[in-house]
Amino acid sequence: MTITAALPTEARVRRLRLLVGVIGLAGGKVREFVTTDGIAEIGEAELALSRDDVVNELELLDEEGLVTAHHSLAGLNGVFVLPAGKSAAESFDKARRDVVLRRRQLQDDYLRWLYEEIEVNGHGPTPDDFLRSGANFHGVVYTAEELMKAGARLKEGAYIDGPEAWQYSAPLRPRITAKGRHAVEQGRSVHDPVYPAPTQHFETHVQGPANVSIASSQVNQTLMVSDPAWGEKVSSVLDAVTQAIGALTFDESKKVAQMVEDARQGVAAVEPTRTKQALITLGGFLKDVSSGALGGILSMQVLALVALFS
């Protein structure tokens, strides 16, 4: 499972954070006019953006159909908030405040950072070095407490090792283990599920004496999924995809929502074949999403489920 593209790009995060600010200035109302001057103040204070940068971001939000830009002879003097913009901002804000998604991502981010520092750069990094790097989840920087817990879990999972202090439950001088190196180099997440090899049972119905061939067109073969919890596992991953939809563009989110619904219907109808095809379609789309918002960790989680139906 790839982890490098699990989050929106830095540029995408910046734009969505600005959009959240715009919604705030609009009082959470749609069709409300917000001046460029007011937005520029937020952009400078919270995102270190110049006025020209803010104008450029607003033009891009207009192209996405999230706001409507209003121009005068002097240039862009404000925007009107659209329903799609409010929805995208609220979904993004909810996603970046999701404690579970944040902690899961931190473990992957920290492990990859350690790999690059140790294996690539030859450094002896510390947790403080990671925090000073500005690592963040959807633009919200990780805290020292969160990092300590992430380091402790990585050590419990044998992804890292190293000496600890009585007041700090994670390695103070972390070393990446063979298991940790393998996870990073294989593009896997530390949260990847480990599924037992599925068993295929074939029911054969033959009328009259006959020699049965596995490839025979006269044989009815019914695939049985050996894992009785396959529906729960699929639903859990679909829930994670739904939670992160807000980081996508409006058109992308609509397409993903429909694909998720197709997969859910397959689960509800207890139809493994239908569910498998829906997951393949969904996983392939997420992998190719240009914004990268759901690429990576979620796309590979979806495609990993296909092994349940092989």
Side-chain angles (χ1 to χ4, degrees):
M1 181 179 299
T2 183
I3 60 180
T4 58
L7 299 180
T9 63
E10 183 178 348
R12 182 66 177 165
V13 167
R14 181 177 62 245
R15 191 168 308 139
L16 289 171
R17 290 179 65 188
L18 185 65
L19 180 60
V20 170
V22 173
I23 301 301
L25 290 175
K29 301 177 182 179
V30 298
R31 310 297 180 187
E32 192 78 4
F33 183 71
V34 183
T35 66
T36 302
D37 289 340
I39 302 171
E41 291 181 6
I42 290 181
E44 180 181 1
E46 299 183 12
L47 300 170
L49 295 176
S50 67
R51 183 185 177 87
D52 288 342
D53 290 334
V54 168
V55 170
N56 182 59
E57 295 293 346
L58 293 176
E59 294 285 10
L60 292 172
L61 288 171
D62 175 79
E63 291 179 7
E64 290 187 37
L66 302 181
V67 301
T68 296
H70 184 270
H71 298 85
S72 67
L73 294 177
L76 192 153
N77 61 0
V79 298
F80 290 93
V81 177
L82 296 179
K86 180 182 178 182
S87 177
E90 290 176 345
S91 296
F92 171 72
D93 199 43
K94 180 180 179 180
R96 67 175 177 168
R97 297 177 190 279
D98 190 307
V99 176
V100 175
L101 290 178
R102 178 182 174 86
R103 292 183 176 180
R104 285 169 60 90
Q105 186 61 40
L106 173 52
Q107 294 175 53
D108 282 330
D109 287 348
Y110 189 36
L111 181 62
R112 183 175 181 87
W113 179 83
L114 287 173
Y115 178 91
E116 292 177 350
E117 288 295 297
I118 298 171
E119 298 293 321
V120 179
N121 300 326
H123 296 162
T126 67
D128 285 342
D129 293 331
F130 177 77
L131 294 174
R132 283 193 290 267
S133 73
N136 65 84
F137 178 77
H138 290 329
V140 182
V141 297
Y142 295 119
T143 67
E145 179 71 16
E146 289 175 324
L147 182 57
M148 180 181 70
K149 292 179 179 179
R153 291 191 176 96
L154 288 173
K155 184 169 184 179
E156 290 174 3
Y159 291 97
I160 65 174
D161 200 353
E164 303 172 14
W166 67 269
Q167 74 274 29
Y168 196 82
S169 59
L172 291 172
R173 288 286 181 179
R175 300 185 297 265
I176 193 165
T177 65
K179 181 179 180 181
R181 287 194 298 272
H182 178 76
V184 174
E185 291 171 355
Q186 294 298 313
R188 296 181 60 82
S189 165
V190 301
H191 309 292
D192 276 0
V194 179
Y195 297 121
T199 302
Q200 297 182 4
H201 302 279
F202 296 91
E203 295 181 1
T204 305
H205 305 280
V206 181
Q207 294 182 345
N211 292 321
V212 178
S213 169
I214 294 298
S216 174
S217 61
Q218 303 302 316
V219 178
N220 294 323
Q221 299 177 331
T222 303
L223 176 64
M224 306 295 292
V225 183
S226 63
D227 191 339
W230 69 271
E232 296 178 9
K233 292 177 178 178
V234 171
S235 295
S236 177
V237 172
L238 293 177
D239 288 343
V241 173
T242 299
Q243 290 176 10
I245 277 180
L248 290 171
T249 66
F250 180 67
D251 288 340
E252 290 170 344
S253 65
K254 287 198 303 182
K255 292 178 181 178
V256 170
Q258 182 58 57
M259 295 175 189
V260 168
E261 181 59 26
D262 290 343
R264 290 193 190 281
Q265 290 179 6
V267 173
V270 194
E271 297 181 0
T273 301
R274 176 181 176 183
T275 304
K276 175 183 177 181
Q277 186 56 53
L279 291 173
I280 292 174
T281 301
L282 174 61
F285 180 80
L286 295 178
K287 186 177 180 181
D288 295 334
V289 168
S290 60
S291 66
L294 291 181
I297 187 170
L298 290 179
S299 66
M300 294 305 293
Q301 276 187 327
V302 171
L303 293 174
L305 290 172
V306 176
L308 287 171
F309 311 95
S310 298

